[in-house]
Amino acid sequence: MRLEQLQAFLAVAETGSFQQAARKCGFTQSTISRQIQSLETDLGISLFHRTAQAKLTVGGDRFLPRARKICQEWQQATQELADLLAGKQPELCVAAIHSVCAQYLPPVLQQFCRDYPAVQLRVTSLGSDRALKVLRDGMVDVAIVMNNRFLTASPDMVVDVLYNEPIEILMAANHPLTKFKQVPWSELVHYPQVVFKDGYGMQRLVQERFLRQGANLQAVMELNTLDAFRGVVRQGELIALLPQSALVDARQDATLAIRVIDSTPAPGTANLADSLADPSLSRQVVMVTTRDRLLIPPIQHFCQMVRDLVPMQLEAAIDNTVICSDASVPLN
């Protein structure tokens, strides 16, 4: 059964004439006749009485509402797809890691709402692994996450690198490690740490680096919000390894201190070669979507704005950090 057969059937049923149906559909009468005959063969029943006026048989009368419904559904489906390609989608869903949501996305979100006021923007703050999962499951359109090549290695995925940023140490303002401008790994490993929950890329990154250093990570607490990290760390000797963008608010807090990690490998360590090959601890933030979604104008527009605006926000944040340091503002 083909759609043009159903359309021919509806045209004859509505006009009561094969000739008028042919004019309505823009075909010859013989073409309409062949389509009806073919449809009747497929269904195994006659649909019209062949008299001076084409009248529906009992079977044709029973089939008529079904044929109408099928054609209406097809028309609605094609219209929805046409609207989608024209940018008329009801919503755009984004999943992003906490630091990006807090620091870099707000200007993008405001501009997108001005550019596409009819599109409902939905933004969810998630860990990287969870965000990539909901993207693969079709629950969001775009994920902005810490890169995980194991989860993005698919020909359907489009991955844009947005920026790389260093990992720094958050501690209380009176913490013993504040005596260092750059904290050596040999000192860092002696203190218990607060880490992100399982499923967050940062937890995996920190654990892998400790393993490469041949050190034991003393993870005594798991959290998933930046406010919680700051609140716990300011209480005592717990420290946290966090990306630079997650420490913007902490730099303005007199009860907290921030230090960089000394990337110089200790002489004679077993992992000296690995340390020299990758001397700094940093993370890469990427934007991920799928090729089919990039064909949809609002998603395409949103992704382009992220590419344009997020690096600008990052550069401004770095400049502000440098200005504060040059002004002899403490690293807290």
Side-chain angles (χ1 to χ4, degrees), residues 3-47:
L3 184 65
E4 57 267 27
Q5 293 174 335
L6 295 180
Q7 292 170 336
F9 167 73
L10 291 177
V12 175
E14 290 166 2
T15 62
S17 165
F18 280 79
Q19 186 177 18
Q20 291 182 40
R23 285 199 294 269
K24 180 177 181 180
C25 296
F27 297 127
T28 63
Q29 184 174 338
S30 60
T31 299
I32 294 294
S33 296
R34 283 196 303 270
Q35 288 173 339
I36 298 298
Q37 289 171 0
S38 179
L39 180 61
E40 289 175 329
T41 299
D42 291 342
L43 296 174
I45 192 171
S46 238
L47 298 173

Side-chain angles (χ1 to χ4, degrees), residues 207-283:
Q207 286 176 336
E208 289 175 354
R209 176 47 64 95
F210 268 75
L211 286 174
R212 289 180 59 184
Q213 295 288 336
N216 179 43
L217 172 63
Q218 300 181 52
V220 298
M221 189 182 302
E222 293 185 355
L223 299 172
N224 67 347
T225 69
L226 300 179
D227 285 341
F229 272 95
R230 292 192 295 270
V232 168
V233 166
R234 69 165 56 95
Q235 300 302 315
E237 72 169 350
L238 293 179
I239 61 173
L241 269 61
L242 297 172
Q244 191 176 68
S245 61
L247 296 170
V248 174
D249 291 338
R251 294 184 189 279
Q252 313 302 322
D253 190 330
T255 66
L256 297 171
I258 298 168
R259 294 293 184 267
V260 299
I261 302 171
D262 186 356
S263 59
T264 305
T269 59
N271 294 314
L272 179 60
D274 283 344
S275 297
L276 289 174
D278 185 15
S280 62
L281 181 57
S282 63
R283 74 168 180 179

Side-chain angles (χ1 to χ4, degrees), residues 175-195:
H175 195 281
L177 289 179
T178 56
K179 67 182 180 182
F180 298 98
K181 289 186 177 180
Q182 295 185 339
V183 180
W185 277 96
S186 58
E187 296 289 337
L188 181 65
V189 298
H190 295 311
Y191 293 90
Q193 292 195 31
V194 188
V195 299

Side-chain angles (χ1 to χ4, degrees), residues 82-121:
D83 289 345
L84 187 64
L85 291 175
K88 300 176 183 177
Q89 68 179 91
E91 63 181 21
L92 189 152
C93 299
V94 179
I97 52 180
H98 297 279
S99 56
V100 172
C101 281
Q103 301 299 331
Y104 304 138
L105 267 190
V108 176
L109 303 180
Q110 291 178 27
Q111 184 60 50
F112 180 85
C113 289
R114 287 193 290 266
D115 294 342
Y116 282 90
V119 177
Q120 177 69 52
L121 189 59

